[in-house]
Amino acid sequence: MKNRIDPELREVLEVFPPLDLDHLEETRQGMVQISQSIEIPVNESVSITNRIIQGPTDNPSVRVRIYEPKEKNELLPGLLWIHGGGYIFGVPEGDDLLCQRFVTEGNCIVVSVDYRLAPENPYPAGLEDCYSALEWFSGNAVGLGVDPSRIGVAGASAGGGLTAALSLLARDRKGPELCFQMPLYPMIDDRNNTPSSLEITGNMVWNHDLNQRAWSLYLQGANGTENVPVYAAPARATDLSGLPYTYTCVGQLDPFRDETLIYIQKLCQAGVDVEFHLYPGAYHGFEGVVPQANISQRVLAEYIGAVKHVLHRQLPVENK
């Protein structure tokens, strides 16, 4: 396996500390400390603010982090960003650099959700927080300087899973209409039994055992059983019709490779427009772990480009 890893991505794995989910709170604190020790450059043209918005019934206040250009001359597209972290850790601030790039290069306004995490708040708590954020974003779009007809949702890993789930939920609840979804290497299959999920073991950032544990915490041990809802694990959805234009990607050495491939195949068969990239030699979250690598620079540019392309594209006028 090691000789298949992109050479620029290989060395970091030698020193990358394995995630310890048996001591989750300590792991969370360690990740916060690491992120705080890294100075994230702030683009002078971007304004970053936090706001408390109305959440779902059982969580009346949800924090969102808003990234927007300091100068706006017109209504811009909006992107709801959902951070990753296996449904069990992560904060919006961890994606400050990426969200600023979405603003400056994708020419949009980003709202990032600080959703509740498992196991303290298992499914559907985090998803309902994201849905509340989407409703707030859509309902307050013009006041935020956003065109309400051009709102997309995106996220990576568990954030990608919540992206796929939120798109299904918005469709089925007849909620805010999305024009775009970007579930990057999404965590969408609780059964954890695809060939790639079984193949990826050892210290590869994320692997079969970590995935099993995280799903168990998110679904309170119900993972792999018959009664898991499609909004918890979108890989279980059989009807993907009516979903928005989709961009996604995954590394060939990511445990989520096969569930992503199956998902995009089902999207295509449901008549959804899909763009997909598979990156050989790449493990889970590689572009965040080794952002300076050539392959990481490519993938970041490509999905920032997808945001810009889809949110700003001219749609054909339908015949009345």
Side-chain angles (χ1 to χ4, degrees):
M1 179 69 71
K2 184 177 178 181
N3 64 353
R4 294 179 59 197
I5 300 171
D6 185 293
E8 286 190 279
L9 305 178
R10 194 179 301 154
E11 192 173 319
V12 170
L13 288 184
E14 302 293 336
V15 297
F16 190 85
L19 292 169
D20 182 1
L21 302 191
D22 290 325
H23 301 90
L24 184 56
E25 193 52 45
E26 289 90 336
T27 299
R28 286 172 175 167
Q29 292 302 320
M31 295 177 75
V32 169
Q33 290 170 5
I34 291 171
S35 66
Q36 289 176 342
S37 69
I38 301 171
E39 189 171 343
I40 301 294
V42 176
N43 191 303
E44 292 302 320
S45 68
V46 178
S47 169
I48 304 176
T49 56
N50 293 294
R51 188 178 296 191
I52 302 298
I53 65 167
Q54 178 66 44
T57 306
D58 63 340
N59 185 35
S61 59
V62 173
R63 181 174 70 97
V64 295
R65 193 161 169 84
I66 303 168
Y67 308 78
E68 57 190 327
K70 288 182 178 176
E71 294 187 14
K72 299 189 287 283
N73 301 315
E74 59 182 343
L75 291 180
L76 296 175
L79 184 70
L80 184 73
W81 177 258
I82 306 173
H83 71 76
Y87 300 108
I88 53 177
F89 47 79
V91 291
E93 285 79 359
D95 295 321
D96 274 356
L97 189 58
L98 176 60
C99 288
Q100 288 180 85
R101 288 189 65 181
F102 283 136
V103 173
T104 58
E105 299 173 44
N107 194 25
C108 64
I109 292 172
V110 178
V111 171
S112 184
V113 194
D114 189 14
Y115 59 89
R116 287 171 290 170
L117 302 172
E120 298 88 346
N121 296 282
Y123 170 84
L127 177 59
E128 292 294 351
D129 289 350
C130 293
Y131 189 80
S132 292
L134 175 61
E135 286 192 309
W136 175 85
F137 198 2
S138 176
N140 295 275
V142 175
L144 293 166
V146 169
D147 177 350
S149 71
R150 290 188 292 161
I151 293 178
V153 60
S157 191
L162 286 165
T163 293
L166 186 60
S167 294
L168 286 168
L169 198 60
R171 179 198 68 181
D172 295 347
R173 287 183 177 174
K174 296 182 169 40
E177 190 167 339
L178 295 166
C179 71
F180 176 54
Q181 70 157 347
M182 187 168 71
L184 303 166
Y185 44 92
M187 182 176 173
I188 54 176
D189 195 344
D190 67 290
R191 293 162 293 197
N192 197 27
N193 61 1
T194 63
S196 63
S197 70
L198 297 169
E199 170 192 346
I200 307 304
T201 58
N203 189 17
M204 297 280 282
V205 177
W206 199 251
N207 61 29
H208 179 272
D209 291 346
L210 290 169
N211 199 43
Q212 189 75 13
R213 185 67 191 279
W215 274 113
S216 181
L217 293 171
Y218 185 52
L219 299 180
Q220 298 180 285
N223 48 310
T225 65
E226 290 304 309
N227 56 347
V228 173
V230 299
Y231 310 116
R236 291 175 174 261
T238 56
D239 178 13
L240 299 182
S241 62
L243 293 179
Y245 185 111
T246 302
Y247 176 95
T248 185
C249 64
V250 70
Q252 195 167 348
L253 305 180
D254 190 320
F256 300 155
R257 179 194 69 209
D258 293 342
E259 60 202 70
T260 303
L261 288 169
I262 294 166
Y263 178 64
I264 61 167
Q265 183 180 29
K266 290 198 291 188
L267 284 168
C268 292
Q269 291 168 349
V272 177
D273 292 331
V274 179
E275 181 176 357
F276 168 68
H277 293 254
L278 179 69
Y279 293 96
Y283 46 75
H284 186 77
F286 65 95
E287 82 284 13
V289 176
V290 196
Q292 70 276 15
N294 284 327
I295 191 171
S296 302
Q297 292 294 310
R298 278 176 51 212
V299 69
L300 285 162
E302 284 167 359
Y303 62 66
I304 291 167
V307 167
K308 182 176 181 179
H309 166 69
V310 180
L311 293 184
H312 289 275
R313 66 183 178 145
Q314 295 294 317
L315 295 175
V317 177
E318 295 183 7
N319 293 325
K320 299 292 185 184

